[in-house]
Amino acid sequence: MPSVPDIRLENLTVGYEGKAVVSDIDVVLPGGRISVILGGSGSGKSTLLRHILRLEEPIAGTVCFGDHDICRLSKRDMHCIKQRIGVLFQDGALLGSLTLADNVALPLREHTRLSRKRIQEIVEGKLALVGLEKFLDYYPNELSGGMRKRAGLARAMVMDPAILFCDEPTSGLDPVTAADLDQLLLEMHRTFGMGMVVVSHDLANMRAIADFVMVLGDGRVLFQGTRQELESVDDPYLRRFLDRKAEERQGPRVGETAVDASVMKVDCSRYWSMGK
Amino acid sequence: MSQDKSTLSTPVAALGRVTLAVLARLGDMFLFFLESLALIFSSPSQFPKAVRQTYFIGVGSVLLILLIGLFTGMVMGLQTYYALSKFGSEGFLGAAVALAVVRELGPVLAAIMVTGRAGSSMTAEIGVMRISDQVDALEVMGINPVSYLVSPKLAACLVSFPILTTFFDLIGIVGGYVTGVALMGGNAGVYISRVQDSIEWGDVWVGYVKALVFGAIVCTVCCYKGYYTHLQQDLAGPEGVSSSTTQAVVLSSVLILLSDYLLTSIFL
């Protein structure tokens, strides 16, 4: 099994154009484990992931893979690190002009000198792992959302990465498909011994796979620790999040006298009666 | 007093800011071009990609170029014959058509046509890849997106543009023949001999130099606009891609005409 480095985020502030989205992150994502970055919509999870992958430059602080501060690595060294990681994007991010087999084969063709036959074998093997061995010649637009994610997972796995990053792997999937994908991630983790960093807002996904959890909210890290520790926290925001309770809203509510619902109502009855 | 001064200097300052921004953008595009050029031969896997792009940009544009070239030559033949006949100089029709087409119209019109057909699709393709995370996916796979997406297109443009210009030149001269000789009754032998006498290798080479420069401009501008489509202010998603595509075609066409003037003044 490959040695999997910790990912250390030190005094990290991430954001765009100098505006911080999440500040003062001091977290160690343990190597060889499944770490889940959890948070509500707009909490900065995907922004943080983009900074960890060095798709963006941080406003302050460092991101270290083991002993390597990736913010200071040369392009060449970063290139080497990128060959040791795999990334599953939110909708798979498969190249639309390539078939599934070509998409999965792409990193092998670009980075190795393997023969066509060997590449074909590896591609078929990886696609079989995710249950897509019968769809080799399909194009991404011919697949469902879940299949695209699984294909994206096969591509992310094709170079046998030490760390796999997944951005919202279960978003937009029905509960059964989402559970299947969780199971697949767990099997991959157990079989190949890789570390995983999963960005998610899906509690079921977190509860199914997480060893280590980091919760983002309010522009900062609200929690870091094991899944069990998270389940027993008392913090009101985290409790509401974990128990899926709605936040107390200020101002009038729908149905209360302060809001005249008739003002907002649109009379659509004439559309329904059309054609009768 | 200082307020008055700042008010007076505002238009000048704004002009300065715009000038600096335009120069910075052009410099950025030039660096983008140099990177793409340097990466053309970065790996053996570039060759099949360049061949595919040459097929799309070059072979796919042949019919369009032949049509435009034929009609341009025919219009040239008609107008020039009419003008020359006023002075009894119809015999110079071949020379006039050939020189105009080979030196100017061939490279310029071929480049503008390819911009509309292939350049716009380059911008849209890369722009859509950018907004759907495909460019980021290439980057995190350790594949240089410029090398993968732009360099093969640049190689294809540098190969295709001179060839398409040659087709345009030849069919344009044929078009002039069709109107000047076949329709208006000019002398065929005089037309052909004037074409042969008037065109020198220098004219042909200038046309090729222009075609190469235009190929580099079209590819660089169109790919650059698609590649950075996500950085457009106030425009995101499909609207951003559509805006980038429009900007790419307009800017390419303007730069083609501008550089045509500069090259003509240098070589004339």
Side-chain angles (χ1 to χ4, degrees):
Chain A
M1 283 190 184
S3 66
V4 184
D6 292 340
I7 298 174
R8 287 183 289 118
L9 314 176
E10 296 171 350
N11 301 317
L12 186 66
T13 297
V14 298
Y16 299 104
E17 293 169 3
K19 289 176 195 159
V21 176
V22 189
S23 305
D24 303 322
I25 307 168
D26 252 312
V27 176
V28 177
L29 304 174
R33 313 280 289 278
I34 301 181
S35 302
V36 173
I37 300 173
L38 196 66
S41 301
S43 60
K45 310 180 293 291
S46 296
T47 301
L48 175 58
L49 183 64
R50 290 181 66 81
H51 284 77
I52 294 175
L53 296 171
R54 208 185 162 184
L55 289 170
E56 311 285 345
E57 295 297 324
I59 294 170
T62 55
V63 177
C64 298
F65 282 23
D67 298 328
H68 304 290
D69 175 0
I70 64 158
C71 304
R72 285 180 179 73
L73 283 183
S74 65
K75 264 191 170 179
R76 186 181 290 266
D77 292 337
M78 196 60 211
H79 182 76
C80 294
I81 285 195
K82 281 176 178 171
Q83 290 181 41
R84 301 296 299 131
I85 64 174
V87 182
L88 167 59
F89 282 85
Q90 201 161 347
D91 68 348
L94 301 168
L95 304 196
S97 56
L98 302 182
T99 63
L100 224 53
D102 287 336
N103 260 292
V104 177
L106 187 61
L108 294 171
R109 286 190 187 137
E110 293 290 325
H111 297 312
T112 70
R113 292 179 183 278
L114 295 173
S115 66
R116 277 186 179 192
K117 191 169 172 255
R118 183 78 191 108
I119 288 177
Q120 181 73 14
E121 285 169 3
I122 295 172
V123 167
E124 284 174 7
K126 296 292 179 184
L127 280 171
L129 271 179
V130 297
L132 290 175
E133 67 276 20
K134 291 178 185 162
F135 298 90
L136 290 169
D137 297 326
Y138 281 58
Y139 284 90
N141 64 353
E142 297 173 312
L143 303 174
S144 70
M147 289 160 99
R148 277 203 292 273
K149 289 203 184 197
R150 281 189 282 152
L153 184 59
R155 186 180 66 184
M157 295 289 300
V158 79
M159 296 284 285
D160 292 331
I163 308 171
L164 178 68
F165 294 88
C166 305
D167 189 6
E168 305 270 13
T170 56
S171 71
L173 301 182
D174 66 81
V176 176
T177 313
D180 283 347
L181 198 64
D182 288 343
Q183 201 55 42
L184 189 59
L185 288 174
L186 277 175
E187 281 169 19
M188 297 267 190
H189 172 65
R190 285 181 196 133
T191 311
F192 300 105
M194 68 188 58
M196 285 188 187
V197 177
V198 179
V199 163
S200 182
H201 63 259
D202 181 355
L203 290 169
N205 173 232
M206 182 276 289
R207 286 178 173 129
I209 64 174
D211 295 318
F212 180 86
V213 186
M214 165 181 170
V215 184
L216 301 182
D218 204 17
R220 62 197 170 91
V221 178
L222 298 176
F223 172 87
Q224 54 174 308
T226 63
R227 189 177 70 217
Q228 293 75 16
E229 287 167 349
L230 176 64
E231 296 291 1
S232 56
V233 290
D234 296 326
D235 180 85
Y237 174 83
L238 288 175
R239 278 270 48 101
R240 264 203 314 276
F241 190 83
L242 292 170
D243 299 338
R244 294 194 66 195
K245 281 188 180 164
E247 205 169 345
E248 284 294 319
R249 278 177 50 197
Q250 304 294 315
R253 288 162 180 278
V254 178
E256 286 180 358
T257 50
V259 179
D260 181 2
S262 66
V263 172
M264 299 181 285
K265 194 175 176 190
V266 180
D267 183 10
C268 298
S269 55
R270 69 190 183 92
Y271 300 116
W272 293 114
S273 60
M274 276 168 72
K276 282 186 181 173
Chain B
M1 184 68 189
S2 63
Q3 200 176 1
D4 289 345
K5 203 174 176 182
S6 70
T7 312
L8 283 172
S9 67
T10 301
V12 179
L15 185 65
R17 271 197 300 276
V18 170
T19 309
L20 285 176
V22 168
L23 287 176
R25 184 59 59 88
L26 287 176
D28 211 24
M29 276 188 199
F30 186 65
L31 292 177
F32 187 77
F33 162 71
L34 289 182
E35 187 184 0
S36 323
L37 189 67
L39 291 169
I40 285 179
F41 301 106
S42 60
S43 80
S45 66
Q46 294 287 68
F47 184 70
K49 282 180 246 164
V51 170
R52 269 198 301 278
Q53 290 299 328
T54 307
Y55 181 81
F56 171 69
I57 295 167
V59 180
S61 303
V62 167
L63 188 63
L64 176 74
I65 292 298
L66 291 180
L67 270 176
I68 301 293
L70 180 68
F71 289 123
T72 304
M74 286 173 76
V75 170
M76 275 289 298
L78 204 57
Q79 290 282 14
T80 315
Y81 187 90
Y82 178 71
L84 291 174
S85 63
K86 286 190 170 177
F87 309 102
S89 313
E90 298 93 329
F92 287 100
L93 178 67
V97 170
L99 283 174
V101 168
V102 172
R103 281 186 182 174
E104 290 298 332
L105 295 177
V108 171
L109 286 182
I112 290 177
M113 287 302 120
V114 179
T115 303
R117 200 198 78 84
S120 54
S121 96
M122 286 185 222
T123 310
E125 179 196 341
I126 298 177
V128 167
M129 291 182 74
R130 170 61 82 182
I131 63 167
S132 58
D133 287 338
Q134 293 177 44
V135 174
D136 288 339
L138 286 172
E139 211 158 300
V140 296
M141 282 190 279
I143 299 168
N144 185 333
V146 174
S147 163
Y148 185 82
L149 296 172
V150 184
S151 296
K153 289 181 172 64
L154 181 60
C157 281
L158 294 177
V159 171
S160 304
F161 273 59
I163 297 173
L164 290 172
T165 300
T166 308
F167 286 159
F168 193 107
D169 292 350
L170 291 174
I171 200 77
I173 292 169
V174 170
Y177 181 93
V178 169
T179 45
V181 177
L183 295 180
M184 306 301 288
N187 186 299
V190 172
Y191 183 89
I192 293 168
S193 72
R194 289 290 184 193
V195 169
Q196 287 173 339
D197 293 344
S198 60
I199 297 294
E200 293 171 9
W201 272 113
D203 300 317
V204 178
W205 282 117
V206 169
Y208 283 151
V209 170
K210 284 184 178 178
L212 282 172
V213 172
F214 298 161
I217 286 174
V218 170
C219 183
T220 305
V221 171
C222 293
C223 292
Y224 179 91
K225 285 287 176 185
Y227 196 79
Y228 292 109
T229 199
H230 61 305
L231 297 183
Q232 289 193 95
Q233 283 180 337
D234 306 327
L235 284 173
E239 205 181 344
V241 176
S242 115
S243 162
S244 297
T245 308
T246 308
Q247 287 176 27
V249 172
V250 171
L251 185 59
S252 297
S253 305
V254 169
L255 288 178
I256 285 168
L257 293 171
L258 180 69
S259 57
D260 181 50
Y261 174 75
L262 293 175
L263 290 169
T264 304
S265 14
I266 291 168
F267 288 116
L268 207 62

